[in-house]
């Protein structure tokens, strides 16, 4: 068992692919999986995830599922924020783009 808070963090949760991954995890991940979403803008990420969930569930079920998701704040260009995020998980899914511009801090933080 990992001493980290999360098994998986999905960074870029407010983007198109990030919200789809979060919605999928909310519906299908085993209850034992400790996961969180991360985004620069937490309210925007919550709304994006809700939108993706509503494509699969009715509104009240989508709201209930969304409210169970932890959304962490992280600006991928902030090296210290990226390091704090990486230290909380065993696996980081980075869905932030463009990757060549926004991914360097997070990759470096995961390596560290």
């Amino acid at each position: 068992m990992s001493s980290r808070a999360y098994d998986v963090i999905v960074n870029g949760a407010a983007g198109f692919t990030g919200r789809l991954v979060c919605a999928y995890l909310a519906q299908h991940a085993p209850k034992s999986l400790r996961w969180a979403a991360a985004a620069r803008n937490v309210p925007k990420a919550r709304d994006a995830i809700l939108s993706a969930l509503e494509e699969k569930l009715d509104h009240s079920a989508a709201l209930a599922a969304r409210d169970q998701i932890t959304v962490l704040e992280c600006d991928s260009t902030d090296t210290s924020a990226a390091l704090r995020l990486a230290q909380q998980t065993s696996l980081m899914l980075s869905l932030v783009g463009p990757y060549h511009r926004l991914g360097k801090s997070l990759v470096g933080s995961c390596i560290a």
Side-chain angles (χ1 to χ4, degrees), residues 38-58:
R40 238 184 354 212
N41 183 322
V42 172
K44 180 179 175 184
R46 286 197 176 282
D47 290 345
I49 294 166
L50 174 62
S51 173
L53 284 166
E54 285 181 332
E55 292 174 11
K56 305 288 182 196
L57 307 170
D58 65 62

Side-chain angles (χ1 to χ4, degrees), residues 11-15 37-49 71-76 96:
N11 191 37
R40 238 184 354 212
N41 183 322
V42 172
K44 180 179 175 184
R46 286 197 176 282
D47 290 345
I49 294 166
V71 181
L72 308 169
E73 184 175 355
C74 181
D75 181 344
S76 296
V96 176

Side-chain angles (χ1 to χ4, degrees), residues 3 8 19 23 33 37 43 47 63 80:
S3 62
V8 177
R19 70 187 178 102
L33 184 71
D47 290 345
L63 279 173
S80 60

Side-chain angles (χ1 to χ4, degrees), residues 3 7 20 23 36 38 42 45-47 59 75 77 82-84 86 94 98-99 110-111:
S3 62
D7 299 316
L20 294 178
V42 172
R46 286 197 176 282
D47 290 345
H59 183 71
D75 181 344
T77 62
L83 183 59
R84 284 191 304 275
S94 181
Y99 305 104
C110 289
I111 292 169

